[in-house]
Amino acid sequence: MTLLREAVGQTLRLARSEQSRTLRDVARQARVSLGYLSEVERGQKEASSELLNSICEALGLTLSSVITDVSLEIKARESAKLSVVDAA
Amino acid sequence: MTLLREAVGQTLRLARSEQSRTLRDVARQARVSLGYLSEVERGQKEASSELLNSICEALGLTLSSVITDVSLEIKARESAKLSVVDAA
């Protein structure tokens, strides 16, 4: 099952990596704890909508651009699962 | 500030309305309480990723199609806010 929080986490982690920034840096700027951001990025915690906005802002990204990337990530995961079913 | 849960709620409510289905019907099929679904649709509660999937399934929609619509909704809200700023 594809989970929204996993796709959100992967998208946020990728965006941070592309900017060569540390968890600590982005967490500080977003005013969330390092542990919180780490759990969100690993898809282990649902980010609240307010904190998701803070994280997007810290990354210099709009919420819409992040959610568009999330939708593409989910689509890719759904397609991968369909392929597995087809191959079975 | 555009909130993800508000865009998710509006997208789910629109999808349900287009199918002419009641809150009760979708909530029962998704195995969530009517109050929970109502709060999610009104953007007052963050849906957990697991229950969001149950709601999408009850509506016969893939998570990716719902999140794509959510991204468009957020983009429209962001544009509307920018227009307000431009006009100020």
Side-chain angles (χ1 to χ4, degrees), chain A residues 1-63:
Chain A
M1 182 165 64
T2 300
L3 293 175
L4 176 60
R5 67 171 174 273
E6 291 177 352
V8 166
Q10 178 154 336
T11 300
L12 293 175
R13 172 155 287 184
L14 184 64
R16 181 174 62 76
S17 302
E18 284 173 349
Q19 298 179 17
S20 305
R21 291 171 69 189
T22 62
L23 269 175
R24 187 175 303 275
D25 172 35
V26 173
R28 198 197 53 234
Q29 197 176 337
R31 299 185 187 194
V32 301
S33 76
L34 191 151
Y36 182 91
L37 181 58
S38 174
E39 283 194 281
V40 166
E41 283 194 357
R42 283 179 285 133
Q44 292 177 350
K45 190 187 275 295
E46 311 272 352
S48 77
S49 295
E50 284 81 1
L51 293 184
L52 178 59
N53 283 6
S54 299
I55 296 166
C56 291
E57 197 177 336
L59 290 166
L61 300 170
T62 60
L63 180 63

Side-chain angles (χ1 to χ4, degrees), chain B residues 50-61:
Chain B
E50 285 80 0
L51 292 184
L52 178 60
N53 283 7
S54 298
I55 295 166
C56 291
E57 197 178 337
L59 289 166
L61 300 169

Side-chain angles (χ1 to χ4, degrees), chain B residues 60-73:
Chain B
L61 300 169
T62 60
L63 180 63
S64 65
S65 75
V66 168
I67 299 302
T68 298
D69 285 353
V70 167
S71 72
L72 296 173
E73 172 63 28

Side-chain angles (χ1 to χ4, degrees), chain B residues 3-73:
Chain B
L3 294 175
L4 176 61
R5 66 169 175 275
E6 292 178 352
V8 167
Q10 177 154 335
T11 300
L12 292 176
R13 170 155 288 184
L14 183 64
R16 180 174 62 75
S17 302
E18 284 173 348
Q19 299 179 17
S20 305
R21 291 172 69 188
T22 62
L23 269 173
R24 187 175 303 276
D25 172 34
V26 173
R28 200 198 53 233
Q29 197 175 336
R31 298 185 187 194
V32 301
S33 76
L34 191 150
Y36 182 91
L37 181 57
S38 173
E39 282 195 282
V40 166
E41 282 194 357
R42 282 180 285 133
Q44 292 176 350
K45 190 187 274 295
E46 311 272 353
S48 77
S49 295
E50 285 80 0
L51 292 184
L52 178 60
N53 283 7
S54 298
I55 295 166
C56 291
E57 197 178 337
L59 289 166
L61 300 169
T62 60
L63 180 63
S64 65
S65 75
V66 168
I67 299 302
T68 298
D69 285 353
V70 167
S71 72
L72 296 173
E73 172 63 28

